[in-house]
Amino acid sequence: MKKISYPSMTARATIGALFFVTGIFLVVFGLFTTGVRSAQPSSGTLNPGGPAVNWVGTAAGGGSADESTCVDGVNCDTFLVTLSGTPTNWSGLKARIVVSDADPSGLSDYDVYVHKGDNTGPIVGESAHSGTPPEIVDLDPSDPDIATGQFSVHVVYFSAFAGFQYSGSASAVSASAGSALPPSAPQDRGPKIGFQNFEAPGALVHVTDSSQGPSTLTVEYMGHDAGEPSVGVNWNSPNSASGVTNFQSDLQTLFIKFDDSCPANGLSATWYNSPAPTSQFVDSDPIGFTDRQTGRVFAGELTLTSPSCKVSFTDTDGLDQLGQPSYAGWSPSSGPLGSGIDHETIGGGPYHAPAPAHGPYPNAVYYCSQDLVTAFCLRSDDGGATYGPPVPTYTSQCGGLHGHVKVASDGTVYLPNNSCGGTGAVVVSEDNGLTWSVRAVQNASTQTRANSNLQDPAVGIDNNGKVYFAMSSSTVDGSATGGSNAVVATSTDRGQTWQNIYDVGAVYGLKNIAFPAAVAADAGRAAVAFYGSTTSGDGSANSFSGIWHLYVANTFDGGLHWTTTDATPNDPMQRGCIWSHGGADICRNLLDFFDMTVDKQGRVQVGYVDGCTDGACAQAATTAKGNAYTARGVIARQSSGRRLIASFDPPHAQNAKSKPGMPSVTVRRINSVVHLAWSEADTGNANISSYRIMRGTVSGAETLLTTVSGRQTTYDDVTATDPTQTYYYKVLAVNSVGTSCGNNEVAAPYLGDTCSGLIVQKTPPGHPEQQLQGLAPASLAIDWVAVGEPSGTNNLMFKMKMTNLASVPPNSRWRVVWNSYAAQSYDPAAEQFYVGMRTDQNGTPSFDYGTIATAVVGLVIGVPTETSIGALPGSSFNADGTITLIVPKSAVGSPAPGDLLGAINGRTFTGDTPETENLERSTLLMDHTFVKGQRDNGHPAATYTVVGNVSCGP
């Protein structure tokens, strides 16, 4: 039977009638045009030891209610599978048949009937779910009615067409493996959990090391290259009642103090950077951990791809004896740790009984990493100063990636894994890391499914030792084509058995999940977070067109019920794909994971990465192509609802209401219009009655401009017309309890128009990003980059303003670069376009456009190489330093109105030789705006919205 809910019966009957009529036509048409067809290939043999057998459908498609009304080759087809051997050979195993398709709409629908022998034999299994979730049939050879031999897999096209043809597979799996997809999580009936989002400020900080290279004179925007962050809270800090939060990413370790009083200085969150002394230029794979019992903060970095890691720790939030951020606030470990070459994690907690001899530091500290396949863990017994030898946790039993190591209150250590025998698993040690056991996350009815898009799963452990597992679980075994679910599970016996296996994203209709994280505190209280999209298909494919939000799900009864919150409503944190295969890809701007934690007062905090920051990207239509490709650090901090520590719940927690959370506001000023939009992730569990739009021409001095409905989340200010003024805005939410804090100011300076050029990147005065701070030649120092669309043309115009071009150096290049998958139409390896000027050995300029492909050496080092496509007639430069570059839109992918050009940046090179003239390595740069490789780490994001062939349109 098709498994549908009662409200769907009428709709399904209508669809069934429609496809019955369509099916009659196709049957009659098919009898005259085709012969009976089988699947391709038509048959195969499955052995107990594998490998899997695969096939694809070949029928024309259409509709058929069931087997009795279908015609093979028209709206159904058949695959014959033979289970070899005898039932004894299949002891402990069963055959799993899976039929799925990659229809991103979720509308294609196939039914599966498995017969003993051929299609005239008895039915021994069937699956008829609605929509595109895979149809799964398990055959148990130990059942005498099934045994081994030949079976026919009869696939009926209930409502499907050849455009989304199904794929079938038969594989041998454990007899105990569950077959059902996890059901939607039962909903908690208490009030929703609200969040406020705090973005790393657009402040330049001096750093001694940058991913671009070592220099004592380098600056970066704080937290703007924040891929794969780790977060924690020092519960013992004297500097904050709720604890000081830390955010580790790239080579920065940021510390954040929150003020819930809505201070008059406009700063509800204060950030500072105190990098660890072991975070150096050649390092990669940053990882952080905070021992919330002791308050010790750890920061680790792998040394490129060498099997070694360097770790530092601080007990003072990175502050020295004078209370200033400095290396003196940290203590480095005694030397590099022996490790794998990838994907490290640090964790810690109490020792398991019997505890080994150890120093005065009360807890064990674990460092784990993987050597592509084998994973290792090391234990420190002196608080991270030294570590013991590496111990393998798994070898061939597991693949994929492991997640963050966690330690329970009884000392049990958990290392989650994406794929152990095709399912998610926890790798567990109950003897302080000396030995490890792999424990699959499944039960008799349901199992997790490994995701071929490499994804970290996550665990959290509450104070009673209950384990909460979170995973991006594929809807199709070992494949990403059918999307994935946000699957959670709980265990009370250290992962030996599992209960409450649910999909916590189904309530929002999510069909793709990325990078889950988990945290727990009081008994029965836990939270998981993940990126989610309502678009199905392979979320890591370059062609993926969905948008992503951050979601957080909480349980307050040990996983029996869950409540899920969209923490970024109306504000996508990524457009298009999220790359999950390592190497270099423009949609790998988020890198490989994010993290979450809980503060001293029980608030959930999620440290995530916003890949679609600022107005151009956040306000784009859902159909827009492109992305901002940013990597900006953000903390989603709980602002209402029950907490993970019950003693800090609000009064009358089950029906508590509160004033709204602070909206997240984005702005873009285009020509004579200022476009505002906002995201409200905390209504206070009361309807928002209105939003108050505040405006001023001096920061902090805004007054009421207008009030709009509580259902409105955008506003266009057409009265901000003075090009000499920067306008400042705040948006305040109002409900029956009160008004939100107004510490969400955004600035809207005048940056030009879309005809003569809209500035998207502007270098701070003094060119502090240059290693020689402004001493580069004026002809190679970039002041700003602008984009426009000359009226009456179908061209794009890029302008790059150098300080001066009265003298033009020979053998030099001036490049404007942006990210675009359209570059693949010229070179499958390319994902960026460039336009630019070049001088030969005589200083004679020429103008061209082309593509850039970035190869990866040793997992982490990108080598960008440009390939010229053609000349740019109509381009020029001026002695005042302005280079104007004109390129037809048709030459660079034909971006349509509303589409985005993301990660736009300027680069200059000089001293070119035949060996370097097409390379864009960071070590060759004379100057650059704030884009590292393919990620935009500037402020604001350098994203341009195509307006079309209009006269300076809004």
Side-chain angles (χ1 to χ4, degrees):
M1 287 288 292
K2 185 75 64 175
K3 298 177 181 176
I4 54 176
S5 60
Y6 288 109
S8 302
M9 290 294 289
T10 301
R12 189 180 186 280
T14 302
I15 293 171
L18 172 64
F19 280 106
F20 178 74
V21 174
T22 306
I24 291 175
F25 170 78
L26 288 170
V27 167
V28 174
F29 180 76
L31 291 176
F32 285 99
T33 61
T34 68
V36 174
R37 294 202 305 262
S38 297
Q40 180 62 42
S42 61
S43 64
T45 297
L46 177 65
N47 301 312
V53 176
N54 300 285
W55 70 95
V56 295
T58 60
S64 180
D66 54 36
E67 285 189 292
S68 65
T69 61
C70 79
V71 174
D72 272 85
V74 179
N75 50 15
C76 57
D77 66 13
T78 299
F79 178 79
L80 298 178
V81 60
T82 299
L83 304 188
S84 69
T86 67
T88 301
N89 300 132
W90 286 79
S91 177
L93 298 171
K94 60 185 175 181
R96 170 159 296 167
I97 295 168
V98 180
V99 167
S100 62
D101 74 273
D103 182 356
S105 72
L107 297 177
S108 295
D109 194 352
Y110 295 89
D111 296 342
V112 179
Y113 303 86
V114 181
H115 298 259
K116 179 73 173 178
D118 57 25
N119 286 343
T120 65
I123 294 177
V124 293
E126 63 181 281
S127 179
H129 294 86
S130 297
T132 56
E135 307 295 347
I136 300 174
V137 175
D138 285 348
L139 301 178
D140 183 0
S142 68
D143 184 337
D145 292 330
I146 297 177
T148 56
Q150 179 179 288
F151 300 84
S152 69
V153 182
H154 201 197
V155 180
V156 175
Y157 292 48
F158 177 79
S159 60
F161 292 91
F164 290 106
Q165 195 61 264
Y166 80 86
S167 298
S169 69
S171 58
V173 300
S174 169
S176 64
S179 61
L181 288 173
S184 178
Q187 293 301 292
D188 180 280
R189 297 189 179 276
K192 297 286 284 185
I193 311 302
F195 289 86
Q196 296 180 129
N197 287 278
F198 296 87
E199 181 182 282
L204 285 172
V205 293
H206 285 272
V207 294
T208 58
D209 284 274
S210 163
S211 297
Q212 296 283 26
S215 171
T216 57
L217 300 174
T218 299
V219 296
E220 292 182 337
Y221 284 104
M222 183 185 294
H224 279 42
D225 192 23
E228 54 189 37
S230 304
V231 293
V233 178
N234 176 3
W235 287 16
N236 294 337
S237 176
N239 301 316
S240 172
S242 61
V244 171
T245 301
N246 59 82
F247 186 109
Q248 170 73 44
S249 64
D250 195 43
L251 304 181
Q252 298 183 9
T253 306
L254 307 178
F255 294 85
I256 307 98
K257 293 183 286 187
F258 292 99
D259 188 337
D260 295 303
S261 69
C262 193
N265 67 1
L267 297 177
S268 293
T270 303
W271 301 61
Y272 65 88
N273 181 35
S274 180
T278 47
S279 295
Q280 303 294 330
F281 163 55
V282 293
D283 294 330
S284 64
D285 259 25
I287 197 70
F289 164 67
T290 302
D291 188 336
R292 68 190 187 203
Q293 295 180 3
T294 67
R296 180 162 290 185
V297 177
F298 296 81
E301 300 274 355
L302 286 175
T303 306
L304 288 180
T305 57
S306 67
S308 64
C309 172
K310 302 184 294 295
V311 177
S312 295
F313 55 86
T314 176
D315 296 320
T316 60
D317 301 323
L319 302 177
D320 61 21
Q321 292 183 341
L322 299 178
Q324 298 300 311
S326 77
Y327 286 164
W330 292 84
S331 299
S333 297
S334 62
L337 285 63
S339 70
I341 66 171
D342 190 30
H343 222 68
E344 59 182 348
T345 173
I346 303 173
Y351 287 93
H352 195 285
H358 58 85
Y361 191 80
N363 289 340
V365 179
Y366 295 89
Y367 171 86
C368 304
S369 62
Q370 64 189 61
D371 220 357
L372 299 183
V373 177
T374 302
F376 303 92
C377 286
L378 299 74
R379 191 185 76 222
S380 173
D381 294 326
D382 52 13
T386 62
Y387 289 79
V391 175
T393 60
Y394 58 80
T395 53
S396 59
Q397 307 99 306
C398 303
L401 297 178
H402 64 65
H404 292 179
V405 64
K406 300 286 182 71
V407 182
S409 57
D410 68 351
T412 303
V413 189
Y414 298 87
L415 188 69
N417 189 280
N418 169 67
S419 180
C420 296
T423 67
V426 289
V427 187
V428 182
S429 175
E430 298 179 68
D431 56 8
N432 300 302
L434 298 180
T435 62
W436 298 80
S437 301
V438 177
R439 297 170 182 173
V441 181
Q442 60 185 14
N443 58 30
S445 61
T446 311
Q447 71 173 77
T448 54
R449 290 185 172 86
N451 196 324
S452 63
N453 287 336
L454 301 179
Q455 303 259 356
D456 290 16
V459 292
I461 309 109
D462 72 22
N463 293 342
N464 267 10
K466 175 173 274 192
V467 180
Y468 302 81
F469 180 88
M471 179 180 178
S472 172
S473 182
S474 285
T475 61
V476 181
D477 282 331
S479 172
T481 57
S484 55
N485 304 130
V487 173
V488 296
T490 65
S491 175
T492 56
D493 56 7
R494 302 174 183 86
Q496 298 186 71
T497 62
W498 294 89
Q499 305 81 39
N500 306 318
I501 304 180
Y502 295 127
D503 178 359
V504 294
V507 67
Y508 281 94
L510 301 181
K511 298 178 181 178
N512 256 298
I513 303 301
F515 303 163
V519 69
D522 277 0
R525 298 194 173 206
V528 300
F530 47 89
Y531 303 146
S533 174
T534 57
T535 301
S536 188
D538 184 351
S540 195
N542 291 168
S543 59
F544 185 76
S545 60
I547 62 174
W548 303 78
H549 288 220
L550 172 71
Y551 296 87
V552 184
N554 286 66
T555 181
F556 299 95
D557 58 8
L560 296 174
H561 299 84
W562 293 81
T563 177
T564 303
T565 298
D566 182 349
T568 58
N570 307 312
D571 185 7
M573 46 67 55
Q574 178 84 340
R575 292 179 178 271
C577 58
I578 295 178
W579 188 252
S580 302
H581 300 286
D585 193 281
I586 58 175
C587 76
R588 202 188 171 206
N589 51 312
L590 312 179
L591 295 181
D592 296 339
F593 58 82
F594 67 89
D595 199 8
M596 67 189 305
T597 187
V598 59
D599 74 12
K600 187 177 180 179
Q601 297 174 344
R603 297 179 188 86
V604 171
Q605 294 187 26
V606 182
Y608 70 100
V609 190
D610 191 344
C612 181
T613 56
D614 300 328
C617 190
Q619 297 179 22
T622 56
T623 56
K625 295 180 180 179
N627 188 35
Y629 303 103
T630 49
R632 194 169 301 173
V634 188
I635 293 176
R637 183 173 183 258
Q638 183 178 345
S639 48
S640 69
R642 288 163 290 172
R643 302 187 182 180
L644 295 190
I645 300 176
S647 60
F648 289 98
D649 279 352
H652 313 292
Q654 285 294 339
N655 54 17
K657 295 182 179 181
S658 58
K659 68 179 183 180
M662 189 167 55
S664 298
V665 185
T666 61
V667 61
R668 60 188 183 99
R669 185 176 181 179
I670 309 296
N671 305 323
S672 60
V673 180
V674 175
H675 304 274
L676 294 171
W678 54 92
S679 169
E680 179 56 82
D682 181 11
T683 66
N685 288 288
N687 291 332
I688 302 293
S689 58
S690 63
Y691 289 102
R692 300 172 62 198
I693 314 297
M694 315 293 288
R695 188 185 77 181
T697 54
V698 177
S699 176
E702 294 88 352
T703 58
L704 182 65
L705 174 65
T706 189
T707 299
V708 301
S709 163
R711 295 183 298 274
Q712 185 171 330
T713 57
T714 62
Y715 180 76
D716 288 346
D717 183 3
V718 298
T719 65
T721 57
D722 186 346
T724 67
Q725 291 285 354
T726 293
Y727 292 90
Y728 297 88
Y729 295 86
K730 296 180 178 181
V731 178
L732 281 63
V734 181
N735 68 7
S736 58
V737 179
T739 302
S740 65
C741 178
N743 290 345
N744 57 3
E745 183 181 82
V746 292
Y750 183 76
L751 296 171
D753 62 60
T754 57
C755 283
S756 59
L758 191 71
I759 294 175
V760 295
Q761 279 267 22
K762 197 168 188 177
T763 300
H767 291 269
E769 84 290 353
Q770 293 181 25
Q771 293 188 9
L772 298 179
Q773 290 218 2
L775 297 183
S779 58
L780 296 166
I782 305 167
D783 291 344
W784 49 257
V785 176
V787 188
E789 298 166 73
S791 180
T793 75
N794 199 25
N795 296 330
L796 289 171
M797 175 184 65
F798 296 86
K799 290 183 178 180
M800 184 159 63
K801 173 65 170 65
M802 315 312 297
T803 301
N804 188 280
L805 281 172
S807 175
V808 180
N811 298 317
S812 299
R813 283 174 290 155
W814 296 258
R815 296 292 188 243
V816 178
V817 178
W818 71 98
N819 290 355
S820 175
Y821 285 118
Q824 293 174 339
S825 64
Y826 295 100
D827 176 358
E831 295 179 347
Q832 292 175 299
F833 282 114
Y834 77 85
V835 291
M837 182 173 81
R838 177 195 293 268
T839 56
D840 62 16
Q841 66 272 22
N842 300 315
T844 303
S846 61
F847 304 88
D848 73 328
Y849 74 101
T851 60
I852 298 175
T854 300
V856 175
V857 177
L859 296 179
V860 296
I861 299 177
V863 182
T865 303
E866 61 182 49
T867 301
S868 180
I869 297 173
L872 292 178
S875 300
S876 62
F877 79 94
N878 191 288
D880 71 355
T882 304
I883 301 173
T884 302
L885 304 159
I886 306 294
V887 62
K889 293 178 184 176
S890 60
V892 289
S894 300
D899 287 349
L900 304 174
L901 308 184
I904 303 167
N905 64 98
R907 307 173 182 181
T908 61
F909 306 86
T910 194
D912 279 348
T913 68
E915 290 75 26
T916 66
E917 63 183 1
N918 294 317
L919 294 179
E920 296 204 3
R921 289 285 302 274
S922 61
T923 52
L924 301 175
L925 288 167
M926 288 299 296
D927 195 12
H928 66 98
T929 53
F930 289 88
V931 170
K932 287 184 181 177
Q934 300 163 316
R935 297 188 303 277
D936 185 346
N937 63 326
H939 191 92
T943 310
Y944 179 80
T945 305
V946 176
V947 299
N949 188 15
V950 295
S951 178
C952 301

